[in-house]
Amino acid sequence: GAVVSQHPSWVICKSGTSVKIECRSLDFQATTMFWYRQFPKQSLMLMATSNEGSKATYEQGVEKDKFLINHASLTLSTLTVTSAHPEDSSFYICSAREGRNPDQYFGPGTRLTVL
Amino acid sequence: KQEVTQIPAALSVPEGENLVLNCSFTDSAIYNLQWFRQDPGKGLTSLLLIQSSQREQTSGRLNASLDKSSGRSTLYIAASQPGDSATYLCAVSRSWGKFQFGAGTQVVVTP
């Protein structure tokens, strides 16, 4: 089946620094990618949707200047958490879909801890 | 605004018992509903996808039903095994590909 990878799988950073998380589709063309975050004991919340070559669409309440999303190719999307703070500590998961195919494939997630 | 609720929040059963997990949603105008499994600290594994026009889907020991008009879906897992221990998430999609997730049901199957 289709595989989505994320890198890194976990990262610890100091408050005020920026962190980049990569999401890659390994064997299909991810025309659309989605970014979610999950706080402990809570469910996944959609942050933004990105289509290859276009600007991301952010959900209400998500700061687009803080969470920079780039989807420059059909196999790679990146999420950059700028000036990270402890409250940004979370589990970030991406998912990807190819064209009009309804199947959506999720990455393994990235655990971000901001000290 | 769509709200997705999963009951119970946690469930513990002895091995061999059948599992029944419930999911309800407030807006019946959904595109599809999907059940996922999440192991601790891990990503999601898709279990079953039910299109809005379908009433149920089956895969092995898993069966999921969908009653769109009443805003409910049920996931049945037959003859549970310790390896079924995980958190099960229900998600509904209103528009293409955008999922609204429930908080999940944490399942423990004891040997």
Side-chain angles (χ1 to χ4, degrees):
Chain A
V3 178
V4 174
S5 69
Q6 284 186 238
H7 178 81
S9 56
W10 59 270
V11 57
I12 300 173
C13 69
K14 293 182 178 180
S15 185
T17 61
S18 294
V19 175
K20 180 183 285 188
I21 302 170
E22 294 184 348
C23 176
R24 292 182 185 272
S25 59
L26 300 186
D27 49 5
F28 66 100
Q29 294 184 327
T31 48
T32 305
M33 284 186 167
F34 305 87
W35 286 95
Y36 296 83
R37 64 181 167 186
Q38 184 179 35
F39 293 107
K41 304 292 185 182
Q42 296 185 29
S43 192
L44 282 76
M45 297 296 293
L46 179 65
M47 298 176 66
T49 303
S50 71
N51 292 299
E52 184 265 337
S54 303
K55 288 185 178 180
T57 302
Y58 292 80
E59 295 300 301
Q60 190 173 9
V62 178
E63 301 174 59
K64 61 180 181 180
D65 294 330
K66 181 170 183 62
F67 299 98
L68 302 179
I69 293 173
N70 183 283
H71 190 174
S73 80
L74 285 171
T75 59
L76 174 65
S77 175
T78 59
L79 168 66
T80 301
V81 183
T82 62
S83 186
H85 291 285
E87 57 265 31
D88 298 323
S89 297
S90 185
F91 193 53
Y92 292 87
I93 300 179
C94 72
S95 67
R97 184 171 55 78
E98 180 176 21
R100 300 291 287 177
N101 188 330
D103 293 333
Q104 192 174 138
Y105 304 98
F106 284 78
T110 297
R111 173 78 58 192
L112 169 63
T113 301
V114 184
L115 302 177
Chain B
K1 180 187 175 184
Q2 177 74 274
E3 291 187 7
V4 182
T5 305
Q6 290 188 246
I7 295 174
L11 185 61
S12 180
V13 299
E15 182 177 4
E17 271 198 16
N18 297 331
L19 287 164
V20 180
L21 309 179
N22 297 298
C23 172
S24 62
F25 47 94
T26 54
D27 187 346
S28 62
I30 63 170
Y31 187 81
N32 60 41
L33 183 145
Q34 195 158 357
W35 283 93
F36 296 88
R37 168 186 173 136
Q38 185 177 30
D39 292 289
K42 304 289 186 181
L44 304 182
T45 301
S46 176
L47 298 175
L48 291 168
L49 169 70
I50 311 176
Q51 301 290 353
S52 62
S53 59
Q54 297 175 321
R55 296 298 298 265
E56 68 175 344
Q57 280 284 356
T58 298
S59 176
R61 295 185 294 114
L62 276 60
N63 174 275
S65 65
L66 173 64
D67 184 342
K68 204 172 69 164
S69 60
S70 67
R72 294 182 182 181
S73 177
T74 302
L75 177 66
Y76 301 90
I77 302 177
S80 61
Q81 303 169 359
D84 294 329
S85 298
T87 296
Y88 290 83
L89 297 170
C90 163
V92 297
S93 171
R94 179 178 175 83
S95 60
W96 190 268
K98 295 174 68 172
F99 284 106
Q100 179 87 24
F101 283 84
T105 295
Q106 187 175 5
V107 171
V108 174
V109 180
T110 55

